[in-house]
């Protein structure tokens, strides 16, 4: 699926379900691979054509547009391994960067298994911190400032010094504002203007936040401390000021891979630019439809503008979804089909490669406790049917929603883990277990626990039996069950490790555990996961319950602008695409038992859940039902050449980008002039009226009636009502008076 810049190629008509292709998204902690094979080509076995294209394109800028569940990590790790094993890349010259310690740890594990263990795979922060610590004596002198891992206490002290009292929620939100300011390279004095310009929903007066921000920075300087954002800022400063150091790093790292590129902040992009210098040996991987961290400064602009910056870039699209069933993928595509804005123009239409599964379940409850109890019952039924508790997740919009589900699961006797709570390696039972394993490794054959025990997994089970682990879990839930689950996770980790590292010893395992502890790459605990939608990014489960889906929560109340609402839609899309097989979407019509039933299901589900009208369609209307309530099913074919269309712009035009156009150029220009006038009158960006692709589709179809116009992708019910008369008049060659649409 390789294409020149600005053009996308298309997949074959059939899905890739032959030739030994394997899904990569549901794997153990130590993914298997062709490590024992000698040839570089062995690394390519099991890749689909698009993944293989990524793996074998080793030179020049490469942009991989990878939809959810399409095996992007598999593609880029096999790309690196293929380059190393074919002799085209030296392991030490490659730096792979991602956004979470878990993702970096997974990448290192896969690379090691594939025979490319010398490659550095790190987060932006950890890579920058290593460089900062190494070059600080040379660039600055003296000791590196101590790292402040939890800044919230300093922010609280800064607020107190400014005589500004912050409650717990305000403290967290002000800390987030400071982090946003720093990754967007905004100093305290400039914060109020920058926040206004960006439409930030600030928790306090902007001048107060600027004052706290300035005091926070002074506190750190006084105490010789730096925070995580400082790590990036200081590294950028050194590389900008010291050309010799920048050249030393560029000599070391000559090839870069950046995962989740839609999430880079301006500061991270600046650091990447300094690492690269004038070179273009860069492979980026991302999906604009999964941009959900704009509140931290992340922006998809770098991904969307990649082909502008690198006109010669190779672009590869991954759209074959190996994670989710066709039913889940159909709902995910339906969500994005209703999306607006620039990211929506670049959305990927996923094609499921899995067998058919159950339809998503929609459930309405009287109130939140009833919803939680209903979800707990369904989870208990799934577990009874054979779905492991660790393969089930309950996802919500904000962390405050977790409490009612914690209680409901506990009442139902279902074990759970709260994602984002205490770190795995900081748990007392885990620390005690690692100490026991380390002691057993040192004593070797002199440890009576290991008498007549040879296999690594059995050795670990024997050692951990002295710390409270048993083959059978304790009854019920609570602290005792939580501790057992932690130890059971270590046992499973050891078993995975032994399978992929034959002959590995206890000493090897303890080294692996120390590396994972340093990277905070925790194993999976076998309990139902409770997590916010943001925290669920990058994870997946057999069964996912999306709860609390009411307007005001999804989208959240403070999402005011069109772009903020669209990010909320993308957040729900991320939640949907976490599910492999079972997907449930639910909401309660009141908050508490006996409350007024005033809540409504999320507007994002309109036209998707049974019995709901599509966005903009009047209830009971038959005129708009086909066009406004339609959900695309199956492949969409080019009306010129018959090939399958997947790119959003092509879907609008109903033809390939490079197929001949029969567009009426004069009509297109008249439509553009009309759109410019509408944009100016309404104070909106032009694309909010209609995108260029939609105007092109209209100019090609030249509709003569509302039904024909409504069938064009991008002309939803609301736009049909507002602009339909104008557009049809223009298509008929009539003049349209300024302001006509606003009066309609």
């Amino acid at each position: 699926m390789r294409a020149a810049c600005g053009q996308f190629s298309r997949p074959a008509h059939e899905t890739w379900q032959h030739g030994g292709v394997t899904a990569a998204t549901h794997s153990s902690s130590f993914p298997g691979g062709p490590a024992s094979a000698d040839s570089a080509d062995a690394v390519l076995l099991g890749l689909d054509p698009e993944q293989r294209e990524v793996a074998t394109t080793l030179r020049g800028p490469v942009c991989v547009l990878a939809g959810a569940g399409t095996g992007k990590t598999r593609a880029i790790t096999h790309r690196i391994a293929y380059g190393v094993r074919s002799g085209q890349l030296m392991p030490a010259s490659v730096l792979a960067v991602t956004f979470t310690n878990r993702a970096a740890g997974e990448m290192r594990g896969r690379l090691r298994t594939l025979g490319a263990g010398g490659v550095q795979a790190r987060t932006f922060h950890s890579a920058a911190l290593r460089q900062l610590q190494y070059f600080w004596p040379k660039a600055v002198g003296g000791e590196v400032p101590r790292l402040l891992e939890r800044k919230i206490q300093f922010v609280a002290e800064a607020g107190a010094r400014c005589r500004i009292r912050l409650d717990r929620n305000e403290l967290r939100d002000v800390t987030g504002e400071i982090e946003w300011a720093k990754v967007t390279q905004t100093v305290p004095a400039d914060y109020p203007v920058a926040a206004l310009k960006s439409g930030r929903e600030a928790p306090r007066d902007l001048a107060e936040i600027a004052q706290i921000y300035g005091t926070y920075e002074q506190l750190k300087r006084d105490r010789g401390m730096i925070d995580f954002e400082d790590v990036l800022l200081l590294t950028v400063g050194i590389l900008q000021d010291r050309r010799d150091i920048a050249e030393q790093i560029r000599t070391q790292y000559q090839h870069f891979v950046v995962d989740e590129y839609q999430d880079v902040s301006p500061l991270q992009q600046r650091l990447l630019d300094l690492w690269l210098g004038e070179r273009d040996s860069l492979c980026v991987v991302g999906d604009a439809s999964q941009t959900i961290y704009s509140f931290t400064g992340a922006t998809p602009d770098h991904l969307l503008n990649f082909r502008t910056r690198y006109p010669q870039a190779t672009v590869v699209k991954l759209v074959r979804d190996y994670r989710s069933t066709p039913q889940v993928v159909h709902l995910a595509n339906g969500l994005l089909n209703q999306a607006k804005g620039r990211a929506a123009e670049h959305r990927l239409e996923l094609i499921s490669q899995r067998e058919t599964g159950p339809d998503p379940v929609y459930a309405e409850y009287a109130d939140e406790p009833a919803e939680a109890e209903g979800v707990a019952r369904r989870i208990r039924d799934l577990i009874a049917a054979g779905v492991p508790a660790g393969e089930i997740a309950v996802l919500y919009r904000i962390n405050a929603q977790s409490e009612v589900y914690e209680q409901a699961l506990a009442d139902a006797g279902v074990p759970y883990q709260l994602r984002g709570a205490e770190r795995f390696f900081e748990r007392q039972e885990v620390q005690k277990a690692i100490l026991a394993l380390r002691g057993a490794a040192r004593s070797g054959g002199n440890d009576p626990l290991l008498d007549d025990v040879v296999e690594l997994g059995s050795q670990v089970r024997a050692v951990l039996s002295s710390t409270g682990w048993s083959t059978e879990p304790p009854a019920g839930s609570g602290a005792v069950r939580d501790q057992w689950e932690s130890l059971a996770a270590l046992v499973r980790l050891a078993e995975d490790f032994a399978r992929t590292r034959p002959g590995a010893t206890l000493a090897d395992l303890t080294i692996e555990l120390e590396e994972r502890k340093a990277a905070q790459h925790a194993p999976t605990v076998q309990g139902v996961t409770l997590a916010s939608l943001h925290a669920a990014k990058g994870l997946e489960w057999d069964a996912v319950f999306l709860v609390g889906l009411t307007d005001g929560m999804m989208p959240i109340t403070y999402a005011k602008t069109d772009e903020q609402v669209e990010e909320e839609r993308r957040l729900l899309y991320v939640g949907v695409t976490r599910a492999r097989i079972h997907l449930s979407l639910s909401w309660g019509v009141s908050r508490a038992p006996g409350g007024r039933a005033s809540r409504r299901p999320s507007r994002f589900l309109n036209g998707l859940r049974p019995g709901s009208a599509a966005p903009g369609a009047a209830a009971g209307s038959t005129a708009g039902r086909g066009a406004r309530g339609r959900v695309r099913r199956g492949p969409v074919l080019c009306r010129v050449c018959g090939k399958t269309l997947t790119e959003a712009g092509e879907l609008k035009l109903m033809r390939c980008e490079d197929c001949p156009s029969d567009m009426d150029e004069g009509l297109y220009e008249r439509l553009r002039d009309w759109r410019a006038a509408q944009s100016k009158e309404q104070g909106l960006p032009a694309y909010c009226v209609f995108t260029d692709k939609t105007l092109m589709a209209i100019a090609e179809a030249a509709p003569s009636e509302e039904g024909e116009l409504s069938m064009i992708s991008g002309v939803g019910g609301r736009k049909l009502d507002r602009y339909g008369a104008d557009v049809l008049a223009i298509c008929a060659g009539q003049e349209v008076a300024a302001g006509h649409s606003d009066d309609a």
Side-chain angles (χ1 to χ4, degrees):
M1 214 180 258
R2 185 175 180 174
C5 174
Q7 294 182 341
F8 295 99
S9 55
R10 291 151 297 281
H13 286 267
E14 68 277 3
T15 56
W16 189 259
Q17 295 176 331
H18 58 279
V21 173
T22 56
T25 56
H26 190 182
S27 58
S28 72
S29 301
F30 302 90
S36 60
D38 293 329
S39 71
D41 287 344
V43 175
L44 304 179
L45 296 176
L47 301 183
D48 70 26
E50 294 77 47
Q51 293 170 344
R52 182 180 289 247
E53 189 72 22
V54 174
T56 55
T57 307
L58 298 174
R59 299 297 175 184
V62 178
C63 180
V64 183
L65 301 176
T70 58
K72 65 180 179 63
T73 304
R74 183 181 182 86
I76 58 178
T77 51
H78 282 244
R79 177 183 189 270
I80 294 169
Y82 178 75
V84 168
R85 294 178 63 167
S86 66
Q88 298 180 65
L89 301 177
M90 294 296 293
S93 72
V94 180
L95 178 59
V97 188
T98 187
F99 281 81
T100 66
N101 290 317
R102 183 179 185 84
E106 180 184 353
M107 194 177 291
R108 284 193 296 271
R110 292 195 187 204
L111 289 169
R112 182 170 59 236
T113 304
L114 290 167
V119 172
Q120 291 292 314
R122 297 186 172 274
T123 65
F124 271 102
H125 285 93
S126 66
L129 182 59
R130 286 193 77 200
Q131 294 171 14
L132 187 66
Q133 291 171 333
Y134 184 82
F135 290 109
W136 184 273
K138 180 178 180 179
V140 181
E143 294 186 1
V144 182
R146 289 177 298 138
L147 185 63
L148 176 65
E149 294 195 10
R150 290 182 173 87
K151 60 173 68 70
I152 201 161
Q153 292 177 340
F154 269 45
V155 175
E157 185 176 346
R161 290 197 175 192
C162 297
R163 297 185 178 181
I164 300 172
R165 185 174 181 178
L166 303 171
D167 64 30
R168 186 171 63 177
N169 290 332
E170 288 176 325
L171 188 58
R172 181 195 63 222
D173 293 342
V174 168
T175 301
E177 286 302 293
I178 292 174
E179 292 173 347
W180 172 82
K182 298 186 76 166
V183 299
T184 55
Q185 303 173 75
T186 303
V187 298
D190 295 340
Y191 167 78
V193 172
L196 277 173
K197 186 176 180 181
S198 299
R200 302 289 294 180
E201 286 284 335
R204 296 291 295 243
D205 179 79
L206 298 180
E208 288 183 336
I209 296 177
Q211 186 181 2
I212 295 171
Y213 177 15
T215 306
Y216 165 80
E217 291 295 303
Q218 187 61 52
L219 277 174
K220 287 196 288 96
R221 287 192 294 270
D222 292 345
R223 298 176 188 177
M225 306 283 286
I226 57 175
D227 60 26
F228 281 104
E229 290 72 38
D230 292 328
V231 170
L232 300 182
L233 286 163
L234 290 168
T235 306
V236 164
I238 289 174
L239 297 184
Q240 286 179 159
D241 295 342
R242 292 291 299 267
R243 185 178 182 86
D244 57 328
I245 293 176
E247 288 302 323
Q248 190 172 341
I249 291 176
R250 291 168 191 161
T251 300
Q252 170 71 48
Y253 296 119
Q254 300 177 26
H255 309 281
F256 296 86
V257 177
V258 183
D259 193 12
E260 303 288 4
Y261 192 57
Q262 77 279 352
D263 289 334
V264 295
S265 69
L267 180 56
Q268 289 164 334
Q269 181 63 46
R270 181 64 186 137
L271 178 60
L272 178 61
D273 290 340
L274 288 165
W275 284 340
L276 275 167
E278 299 300 319
R279 302 165 300 173
D280 63 0
S281 187
L282 172 66
C283 174
V284 301
V285 188
D287 178 8
S289 295
Q290 296 188 66
T291 305
I292 59 173
Y293 296 112
S294 67
F295 62 92
T296 68
T299 170
D301 290 347
H302 306 298
L303 175 67
L304 298 178
N305 295 336
F306 191 83
R307 288 167 293 152
T308 302
R309 185 172 185 182
Y310 298 104
Q312 75 280 23
T314 297
V315 177
V316 185
K317 290 199 307 175
L318 304 182
V319 296
R320 305 178 196 268
D321 187 330
Y322 298 98
R323 175 188 299 160
S324 304
T325 64
Q327 287 75 13
V328 173
V329 167
H330 178 68
L331 176 56
N333 287 337
L335 275 173
L336 291 190
N337 285 343
Q338 298 177 358
K340 300 174 290 186
R342 192 177 180 212
E345 283 295 304
H346 295 265
R347 66 182 180 269
L348 298 166
E349 189 92 1
L350 299 177
I351 303 172
S352 175
Q353 306 297 294
R354 294 192 60 147
E355 295 294 326
T356 187
D359 287 331
V361 174
Y362 298 86
E364 182 174 287
Y365 295 90
D367 50 62
E368 287 183 8
E371 182 183 3
E373 291 168 8
V375 167
R377 283 194 301 271
R378 289 205 58 225
I379 289 174
R380 191 171 54 192
D381 291 343
L382 282 174
I383 294 174
V387 180
E391 290 294 348
I392 303 173
V394 178
L395 306 181
Y396 34 76
R397 177 60 181 84
I398 60 174
N399 288 319
Q401 293 171 274
S402 74
E403 185 176 358
V404 67
Y405 290 93
E406 294 178 59
Q407 185 63 54
L409 290 172
D411 291 344
V414 175
Y416 66 86
Q417 57 170 326
L418 194 61
R419 185 164 180 81
E422 182 184 22
R423 291 180 175 181
F424 180 82
F425 289 103
E426 293 175 1
R427 298 175 186 175
Q428 186 175 1
E429 67 271 16
V430 172
Q431 294 177 349
K432 182 179 177 181
I434 292 176
L435 280 174
L437 291 169
R438 190 182 298 131
R442 287 174 180 166
S443 61
N446 297 321
D447 191 326
L449 287 171
L450 302 182
D451 288 347
D452 302 322
V453 181
V454 178
E455 189 265 326
L456 178 59
S458 298
Q459 290 179 339
V460 171
R461 288 191 290 272
V463 173
L464 294 190
S465 65
S466 68
T467 67
W469 182 81
S470 60
T471 55
E472 293 297 323
S477 57
V480 174
R481 178 61 182 254
D482 290 344
Q483 292 168 9
W484 184 91
E485 292 288 357
S486 297
L487 299 179
L490 289 175
V491 171
R492 288 190 299 274
L493 182 72
E495 292 169 346
D496 280 349
F497 188 68
R499 277 195 295 271
T500 56
R501 294 275 296 275
T505 65
L506 266 179
D508 296 327
L509 177 63
T510 58
I511 292 172
E512 172 70 20
L513 289 172
E514 288 301 322
E515 290 178 352
R516 282 175 167 259
K517 180 179 179 180
Q520 287 300 326
H521 181 201
T524 301
V525 175
Q526 283 300 319
V528 173
T529 298
L530 298 179
S532 71
L533 286 162
H534 283 101
K537 178 74 168 65
L539 303 175
E540 58 188 85
W541 296 269
D542 282 346
V544 169
F545 290 80
L546 302 176
V547 300
L549 299 182
T550 60
D551 261 351
M553 190 60 74
M554 177 55 66
I556 199 77
T557 304
Y558 52 75
K560 304 293 187 185
T561 67
D562 286 346
E563 178 48 41
Q564 288 169 341
V565 170
E566 286 304 312
E567 181 154 336
E568 293 286 298
R569 188 195 308 274
R570 295 193 294 269
L571 186 56
L572 181 56
Y573 171 80
V574 166
V576 167
T577 55
R578 299 310 93 196
R580 299 190 191 104
I581 305 169
H582 305 279
L583 178 62
S584 174
L585 305 95
S586 62
W587 56 92
V589 294
S590 69
R591 184 175 185 276
R596 188 164 61 92
S598 58
R599 295 180 172 182
R600 295 291 178 267
S602 170
R603 71 191 75 167
F604 298 145
L605 301 180
N606 290 346
L608 301 175
R609 62 183 176 88
S612 65
S621 169
T622 56
R625 189 172 298 154
R628 304 179 191 183
R630 67 184 183 276
V631 178
R632 185 177 291 114
R633 297 180 182 272
V636 178
L637 306 182
C638 172
R639 56 188 169 84
V640 179
C641 70
K643 290 184 178 179
T644 301
L645 304 178
T646 57
E647 203 269 327
E650 295 178 337
L651 290 167
K652 283 186 181 293
L653 297 175
M654 297 297 290
R655 64 170 175 81
C656 305
E657 289 274 9
D658 47 2
C659 279
S661 169
D662 53 358
M663 181 177 70
D664 182 334
E665 294 287 349
L667 174 56
Y668 178 67
E669 289 304 318
R670 292 196 301 275
L671 288 167
R672 281 177 59 88
D673 290 343
W674 166 83
R675 181 183 67 174
Q678 290 291 329
S679 171
K680 183 176 180 181
E681 286 177 12
Q682 298 173 44
L684 295 172
Y687 68 76
C688 288
V689 181
F690 285 120
T691 64
D692 286 346
K693 284 291 194 303
T694 299
L695 291 188
M696 290 175 65
I698 294 171
E700 289 185 357
S704 59
E705 61 180 17
E706 183 177 291
E708 294 175 356
L709 178 59
S710 70
M711 293 303 295
I712 296 174
S713 179
V715 185
R718 183 178 62 83
K719 292 189 177 182
L720 187 65
D721 293 339
R722 185 165 193 177
Y723 303 125
D726 276 14
V727 171
L728 291 173
I730 294 170
C731 290
Q734 302 170 9
E735 291 292 329
V736 175
H740 179 268
S741 293
D742 281 339
D743 296 335

